[in-house]
Amino acid sequence: MESVECTDSTGGRPVRGGSPDRGRVRLWHIVTGGVLLVLSAFGSLFVGVAEVTPWGLLHADSAAVLVFLESRVPRLLAILLAGMGMSVAGLVMMHITRNRFVSPSTAGTTESASLGVLVATLFAGSEAVFVKMGVAVVFALAGTFLFLVILRRLTFSDMILAPLVGIMFGAVIGSVTTFFAYRADLLQTLATWTSGDFSGVLRGRYELLWLAGAVTLLGYLYADRFTVAGMGRSFSINLGVAYDRIVNTGLVLVAVITAVVVVTVGDIPFLGLIVPNLVTIVLGDNLRRILPVTALTGAFFVLICDVIGRLIRFPYEIPVATVVGVVGAGVFLALVLRNRNRTA
Amino acid sequence: MIQIDHVTKRYGETTVVDDVCLSIPKGGVTSIIGANGAGKSTLLSIVSRLLPSDSGSVTVDGLDVATTPSGKLARRLAVLRQENHMSVRLTVRELVAFGRFPHSGGRLTSHDLDLVDEAIGYFELTDLADRHLDQLSGGQRQRAYVAMVLCQDTDYVLLDEPLNNLDMRHSVQMMRRLRRMADEFAKTVVLVVHDINFASCHSDTIVAMKNGKVIAQGDTAAMMSPDVLREVYDLDIDVHDLSGHRIGVYFS
Ligand SMILES: Nc1ncnc2c1ncn2[C@@H]1O[C@H](COP(=O)(O)OP(=O)(O)OP(=O)(O)O)[C@@H](O)[C@H]1O
Ligand SMILES: [Mg+2]
């Protein structure tokens, strides 16, 4: 018998798809990313209307120091915390719903949180920050839960329909919010929650975001269980993970982070969708490995978008939500099309 | 021992598992056979707590599967379903390593890593270990799933059609592995198989199901008879003694 064989140019060694190193997070990746982030973060501190330079700070230019400590540093911290929080929230959500297009922006979570803030403002006044946050968390949870119930009812196979339903659901809640805000003459105030913007961040006005940071960190402790939940109910039960409990834990985590971000800086649309998707496409879905990378990438992404917003019409600012929205919509479209091509 | 006591499962009006009583002794390989829709997978899912029963109870070593904490059971019993769809993108090694999760909770010891490497090696997945699951063929993926479940290193292993998608050589290797687990490590292996000859060559006991009921059960030699098989499959099957095994011939 004659053997039919195709020899390849690599000297007879079997050719493997992709290099074995692909998808590995190496220490130098994290270190490089970290250094880049620190450099950009440092640079961002000196971008703004008021003239603040490292030189001025060293020479104790008191006006510059004031701007630096009261505005620039808080703004940077807010950017980093919100960026990490929303990206990790999106990552967790995509695992517990087993759909990579479900995120706080595509499941009615942010819209529900805004409605909650409005309700709290109507009944408790605009100064009660903790009340606003608490009510926003409850609304975000309830809204997301409702969306998941709807999702379970509609058993369709197409992954892309879920976020569309979620966006519609969010739009319905958004219109309810707008209606009541209009009635109460709060439309202007509403805009501060629905459109994320870091320009109003000052010392004393962003500290709630540390809570989002803490919850993000907590998410890391659950990383393996979220990954197992992503494998589905049967695998979870087999591995001894209480599936429903871990899904609910994830939902609470997502609701808290989203509510805090909405209350303090406003909604940053699609952030929780694009960052986790970009990271998982390259690195896979093992949360223990990719959660820190997602957090770093999210922080970096928001930082860059915010700096772009500060520079593009200098000395005026474009809200970060607009920049992220424009970039995000493009990336989202690319992801959907990519997915179409892969499944087709 | 697995003790199944008057277990019933209904979907609407249809009873798919009908008052089944069965005990599976500790140690050894038990094969469950039966036609499509006989209720094999449903029964296996109930035993492995993936599905609640409507009535009756299942105990494993005296632990009621419906009430025992899932984490505790996961160190004693492992299960793989007939069909598995995994949307998370994990590498083969990551997946297999998750088999150790019930024992180590994500912090893998060197013992865990040894088990992972051994399972990956046995199922000939070493070259594929860093590939994502969605980059594997159907049979390779099935081997990865089984490797994960065996990595759990539990006393009881329940596998629903583990030979799905496997070629002949890998099927035989899989069955030999299960046999060895029972012989050398006193594991209890319960599997659903469609190929009666694999059941005949590698199992100690065969359980036959039909229309939700267990209609026959016994040691392999007794069960491999034309009369029993006709009753189970409504098909005439010649049984021959070949190289020390009872082999059913039903191809023509
Ligand atoms: N979710 C469900 N709803 C309604 N009927 C179901 C459901 N799941 C299974 N059934 C029915 O229960 C019966 C038993 O199903 P089961 O999956 O246990 O069969 P099986 O013996 O494993 O068959 P196969 O050899 O094809 O895997 C079948 O008739 C099936 O149609
Ligand atoms: Mg079945």
Side-chain angles (χ1 to χ4, degrees):
Chain A
M1 196 179 85
E2 212 178 315
S3 79
V4 181
E5 210 172 305
C6 300
T7 45
D8 59 57
S9 54
T10 56
R13 270 193 35 223
V15 186
R16 277 205 249 156
S19 90
D21 270 5
R22 198 179 142 266
R24 279 286 170 85
V25 189
R26 300 243 178 265
L27 192 60
W28 71 265
H29 291 147
I30 305 259
V31 170
T32 315
V35 168
L36 266 178
L37 180 61
V38 168
L39 285 181
S40 334
F42 185 75
S44 82
L45 290 170
F46 304 102
V47 179
V49 179
E51 172 100 355
V52 178
T53 57
W55 189 246
L57 290 179
L58 282 176
H59 286 252
D61 172 349
S62 63
V65 172
L66 190 71
V67 172
F68 188 75
L69 292 181
E70 293 290 318
S71 161
R72 295 288 167 80
V73 172
R75 179 172 191 156
L76 173 62
L77 290 173
I79 288 168
L80 299 182
L81 289 169
M84 290 187 186
M86 285 311 286
S87 310
V88 170
L91 181 68
V92 169
M93 202 149 181
M94 134 182 171
H95 274 75
I96 59 181
T97 59
R98 306 186 69 197
N99 185 321
R100 46 188 75 252
F101 294 117
V102 174
S103 73
S105 321
T106 54
T109 313
T110 47
E111 289 82 0
S112 306
S114 302
L115 180 59
V117 186
L118 178 74
V119 169
T121 308
L122 286 177
F123 291 102
S126 58
E127 289 310 307
V129 176
F130 281 98
V131 178
K132 279 201 285 191
M133 189 204 72
V135 178
V137 170
V138 172
F139 271 69
L141 257 182
T144 316
F145 205 77
L146 190 61
F147 170 69
L148 291 187
V149 171
I150 297 173
L151 205 60
R152 261 174 231 143
R153 288 279 160 96
L154 309 167
T155 43
F156 36 65
S157 53
D158 198 339
M159 255 196 170
I160 290 152
L161 277 177
L164 292 184
V165 173
I167 288 171
M168 285 194 284
F169 176 68
V172 172
I173 295 177
S175 357
V176 173
T177 312
T178 311
F179 174 75
F180 283 109
Y182 175 73
R183 280 301 194 76
D185 211 8
L186 281 173
L187 275 182
Q188 289 249 299
T189 326
L190 180 66
T192 61
W193 312 316
T194 51
S195 163
D197 185 0
F198 290 101
S199 63
V201 173
L202 294 174
R203 197 154 68 90
R205 284 221 209 140
Y206 81 99
E207 281 76 0
L208 207 53
L209 279 172
W210 286 108
L211 178 63
V215 174
T216 307
L217 214 59
L218 204 66
Y220 188 63
L221 297 181
Y222 282 91
D224 281 324
R225 273 167 281 181
F226 288 138
T227 310
V228 172
M231 296 181 188
R233 180 184 287 272
S234 298
F235 278 105
S236 300
I237 296 176
N238 174 46
L239 293 176
V241 170
Y243 183 75
D244 293 320
R245 199 182 318 150
I246 200 71
V247 167
N248 290 336
T249 306
L251 284 181
V252 171
L253 188 143
V254 169
V256 171
I257 295 176
T258 307
V260 168
V261 171
V262 166
V263 169
T264 47
V265 296
D267 177 27
I268 310 173
F270 297 116
L271 179 60
L273 180 73
I274 40 178
V275 173
N277 268 294
L278 289 177
V279 173
T280 53
I281 281 173
V282 181
L283 296 176
D285 282 331
N286 190 356
L287 242 66
R288 179 185 285 274
R289 221 152 48 84
I290 64 164
L291 193 142
V293 182
T294 308
L296 280 183
T297 311
F300 198 54
F301 183 74
V302 176
L303 182 64
I304 298 296
C305 286
D306 187 63
V307 171
I308 292 176
R310 275 187 251 178
L311 292 176
I312 212 165
R313 279 180 65 209
F314 194 83
Y316 302 103
E317 281 200 22
I318 296 174
V320 72
T322 312
V323 181
V324 173
V326 170
V327 179
V331 178
F332 180 59
L333 216 62
L335 287 175
V336 171
L337 292 177
R338 183 193 132 93
N339 205 60
R340 267 284 146 83
N341 289 339
R342 284 211 314 174
T343 50
Chain B
M1 189 168 76
I2 298 177
Q3 190 73 46
I4 301 169
D5 200 22
H6 295 288
V7 164
T8 298
K9 178 79 191 175
R10 290 187 198 87
Y11 287 111
E13 291 294 291
T14 40
T15 307
V16 297
V17 172
D18 193 358
D19 197 33
V20 167
C21 295
L22 182 68
S23 65
I24 298 170
K26 200 175 166 96
V29 178
T30 300
S31 293
I32 302 177
I33 61 170
N36 289 149
K40 308 177 295 294
S41 298
T42 309
L43 184 65
L44 209 71
S45 295
I46 293 171
V47 170
S48 54
R49 76 192 174 311
L50 299 181
L51 197 68
S53 64
D54 291 329
S55 60
S57 70
V58 177
T59 58
V60 175
D61 283 346
L63 300 171
D64 188 330
V65 296
T67 54
T68 307
S70 197
K72 184 175 180 185
L73 225 43
R75 290 190 289 272
R76 205 172 279 244
L77 176 146
V79 61
L80 184 68
R81 296 185 59 166
Q82 181 174 352
E83 268 173 59
N84 300 287
H85 174 73
M86 199 175 284
S87 53
V88 286
R89 287 175 74 233
L90 298 175
T91 64
V92 172
R93 183 180 300 283
E94 285 171 339
L95 176 81
V96 177
F98 266 108
R100 299 306 301 160
F101 188 78
H103 303 274
S104 310
R107 306 208 167 279
L108 299 183
T109 63
S110 60
H111 171 64
D112 293 327
L113 291 174
D114 288 346
L115 288 175
V116 171
D117 282 335
E118 195 277 331
I120 288 177
Y122 186 86
F123 289 106
E124 301 182 346
L125 294 164
T126 310
D127 282 350
L128 307 171
D130 291 319
R131 282 241 206 127
H132 282 129
L133 289 174
D134 56 5
Q135 299 167 323
L136 300 184
S137 76
Q140 292 167 339
R141 198 155 38 231
Q142 175 72 4
R143 271 145 57 199
Y145 289 138
V146 175
M148 169 194 155
V149 168
L150 297 191
C151 234
Q152 251 176 283
D153 197 22
T154 50
D155 288 344
Y156 295 86
V157 180
L158 278 51
L159 302 167
D160 198 344
E161 300 191 25
L163 306 182
N164 262 350
N165 292 324
L166 297 193
D167 61 42
M168 285 180 284
R169 197 169 72 88
H170 285 106
S171 297
V172 172
Q173 279 188 347
M174 175 90 63
M175 294 305 290
R176 284 188 190 146
R177 168 83 174 205
L178 300 178
R179 186 68 251 167
R180 206 179 80 209
M181 282 163 44
D183 291 342
E184 293 176 21
F185 302 99
K187 308 276 187 196
T188 310
V189 180
V190 181
L191 64 156
V192 175
V193 268
H194 276 303
D195 189 328
I196 49 167
N197 295 328
F198 273 119
S200 170
C201 294
H202 298 274
S203 45
D204 304 298
T205 314
I206 293 180
V207 173
M209 290 188 72
K210 191 175 189 178
N211 299 330
K213 288 194 164 69
V214 171
I215 55 163
Q217 163 192 15
D219 70 84
T220 302
M223 290 289 288
M224 285 299 291
S225 81
D227 292 341
V228 174
L229 295 178
R230 187 182 307 111
E231 176 69 23
V232 176
Y233 290 107
D234 296 317
L235 184 69
D236 285 318
I237 298 175
D238 292 334
V239 179
H240 301 276
D241 281 306
L242 278 178
S243 337
H245 293 292
R246 296 186 59 77
I247 301 294
V249 178
Y250 53 91
F251 296 103
S252 50

